[in-house]
Amino acid sequence: MRVRTFRDKNMARILARIKSEMGPDAVILSNQTVRENGQCLCEIMAAVESVEEAPKTAAREKVLTIPAAPAKGNGARNRPAAARPETDPMADMILPGAASGDGWRREWDEIRDHMMALLKPGLKFDRLEPRQRLALQYLEREGVEDAVLLTLFRSLTDCGERTVLPALSRMVGIKPLPSDSWGQRVHVLVGPSGAGKTTAVLRLALARKRQHPNTPVTVAALWDGSTGSAMLKRYAELSGITFRSVTSPEEFRTLWESLGPSGWAFAEMPCLRGEESMDQRLRALGMAGHPGVAVHLALSPICATAQLRSFAARYRASAPGSIVWTKLDEACNFGTLINVAHAVDLPVSALSHGPELNRNLTTATATDVWKLIFKHQFPGETARDSQPGRGTKQSATTAKSAA
């Protein structure tokens, strides 16, 4: 097998180069965005089976940076090479934000769906026990993606597990927030506008204050004095919680020193603008690389999985973190929690729902997450009589028992 890596600003040029130099049978192994000489480049690793075994030296990976081509008219644009059905359906061929537009993502998503449609009839579901098949069918109705279901199927058949929960637990990690399982004491919530960051910051601060009433708890607004920070300040004052504004490294050092040996702070970061990255924001505030800082994604399952993956790629930072799920009461199903956790490899830390400010955020536990997914039961509530668009309480309870 020959493996080569190509880099270029333009995705179309890379795909055309792969097709011309490696042939139509080339398979895309990975796709990522890298920085080289201060420029963002798309990097694609491709492989093709050799007719004859190549020497060992030829098997080494080569990185080819494609020079920029002169501008051409729309009629001369390169088109992507068509993927073959043999392509690995688990390969994330186009990462969110790596393509030049939404059209590329839609095209590759469609190709992936076609490949999964070809693979699914070949899966030997008769190898599973009836309760296992029932659980997988329920997860499929809940919106769990085919690639995730395929991973579950392989885990059940390869490991001999009788239920799906052990395999799901390997996909969906749990790390409760706020709790002492976190060594960091400054917790920054990031995410798109409207994700519920302000409410989640206040709820987390109130939860920490209830757990440890004698230790300092602070809420902070980062980066600018936006309208959201004014609301955060007002609610903090009404709740008896200290508020600080952090717009520079000096103000962050002041915040850190004010916490003392045991205090915690929960901060809201406004949404990014233009080509900003979260690491750039953190460096500007003197928070990047600080051992006491964790960065958490505030996401809501009312968005599609593809959109949430795009948000996660844009707002992910080089710091410990998790996912805080918000606006759970506005979602009709919760398979997205599994899809996103599997895609971004971040644990679930907190579950937030309802309009009330106080006591509507729960530190995540495995039991709460599985009840939410399989029974649509929010933490602290009894099972509802029915699920929107999902039938009766009895069917949900059957799926939960099967899991």
Side-chain angles (χ1 to χ4, degrees):
M1 175 177 287
R2 292 190 295 117
V3 179
R4 300 175 71 182
T5 301
F6 299 81
R7 287 178 184 166
D8 187 51
K9 290 183 178 180
N10 188 286
M11 173 84 64
R13 284 200 297 268
I14 297 181
L15 295 174
R17 186 75 175 271
I18 292 173
K19 183 177 181 180
S20 64
E21 296 188 9
M22 304 185 71
D25 293 333
V27 175
I28 295 176
L29 300 179
S30 67
N31 180 299
Q32 62 180 338
T33 301
V34 299
R35 294 189 68 86
E36 184 177 275
N37 298 326
Q39 294 182 332
C40 287
L41 301 176
C42 178
E43 180 182 281
I44 293 182
M45 182 187 297
V48 65
E49 290 289 346
S50 301
V51 178
E52 298 179 357
E53 187 177 0
K56 293 183 178 180
T57 56
R60 295 178 181 175
E61 179 185 336
K62 297 181 180 179
V63 178
L64 303 179
T65 301
I66 304 172
K72 297 182 180 180
N74 291 339
R77 290 180 182 174
N78 293 316
R79 300 185 64 85
R84 294 174 61 88
E86 292 83 9
T87 302
D88 182 4
M90 302 299 290
D92 192 6
M93 294 187 293
I94 297 295
L95 293 179
S100 59
D102 291 338
W104 284 104
R105 285 195 293 271
R106 285 196 299 268
E107 185 173 348
W108 283 113
D109 286 343
E110 186 174 334
I111 291 173
R112 183 183 61 183
D113 292 341
H114 289 326
M115 289 189 294
M116 291 304 305
L118 292 172
L119 281 173
K120 285 181 68 175
L123 297 180
K124 298 180 180 180
F125 284 99
D126 55 350
R127 296 171 59 187
L128 300 178
E129 296 181 3
R131 60 188 297 173
Q132 295 172 335
R133 291 198 298 270
L134 177 62
L136 289 181
Q137 290 167 0
Y138 177 83
L139 291 174
E140 185 175 21
R141 293 196 303 270
E142 279 292 293
V144 176
E145 294 181 327
D146 289 341
V148 178
L149 293 173
L150 179 59
T151 302
L152 285 173
F153 174 82
R154 293 177 61 186
S155 179
L156 291 172
T157 55
D158 295 346
C159 301
E161 296 165 335
R162 296 182 58 83
T163 66
V164 300
L165 286 185
L168 284 173
S169 297
R170 290 191 292 271
M171 293 183 180
V172 185
I174 306 293
K175 192 173 182 179
L177 180 73
S179 74
D180 292 333
S181 60
W182 290 90
Q184 298 78 21
R185 293 190 289 118
V186 176
H187 297 271
V188 181
L189 264 68
V190 302
S193 177
K197 299 186 295 292
T198 302
T199 304
V201 164
L202 290 165
R203 288 174 172 174
L204 285 167
L206 290 169
R208 181 67 185 181
K209 190 175 181 180
R210 286 195 301 270
Q211 293 175 1
H212 302 274
N214 298 323
T215 58
V217 177
T218 302
V219 297
L222 305 179
W223 193 248
D224 63 12
S226 61
T227 304
S229 65
M231 185 173 69
L232 184 64
K233 179 180 180 181
R234 178 60 177 163
Y235 276 106
E237 292 172 346
L238 292 174
S239 303
I241 298 175
T242 303
F243 172 85
R244 288 183 180 273
S245 179
V246 177
T247 60
S248 66
E250 292 74 19
E251 290 179 342
F252 171 66
R253 284 194 293 270
T254 301
L255 168 65
W256 179 258
E257 292 170 358
S258 70
L259 298 179
S262 58
W264 278 42
F266 299 92
E268 176 188 359
M269 181 77 81
C271 58
L272 298 173
R273 302 188 183 99
E275 298 299 322
E276 283 184 305
S277 71
M278 189 52 58
D279 285 329
Q280 290 174 337
R281 280 275 185 94
L282 294 173
R283 282 194 295 269
L285 294 172
M287 302 172 70
H290 194 287
V293 175
V295 180
H296 309 272
L297 294 172
L299 300 175
S300 171
I302 62 176
C303 296
T305 298
Q307 183 63 69
L308 292 173
R309 280 201 298 260
S310 178
F311 287 148
R314 177 159 172 71
Y315 286 91
R316 188 77 177 264
S318 301
S322 68
I323 301 175
V324 176
W325 286 105
T326 62
K327 301 184 179 182
L328 294 173
D329 54 309
E330 299 179 13
C332 62
N333 57 44
F334 303 101
T336 304
L337 274 69
I338 301 175
N339 296 335
V340 176
H342 179 61
V344 305
D345 194 27
L346 284 176
V348 178
S349 60
L351 306 171
S352 178
H353 65 91
E356 294 82 8
L357 182 62
N358 200 9
R359 299 183 184 277
N360 271 25
L361 180 140
T362 305
T363 56
T365 65
T367 299
D368 289 337
V369 170
W370 304 136
K371 283 185 177 181
L372 181 65
I373 292 173
F374 285 99
K375 300 181 71 174
H376 287 205
Q377 180 178 336
F378 296 137
E381 294 185 358
T382 56
R384 288 178 282 180
D385 293 336
S386 64
Q387 305 176 72
R390 286 290 182 265
T392 64
K393 172 184 174 183
Q394 182 178 0
S395 63
T397 304
T398 303
K400 172 65 176 175
S401 301

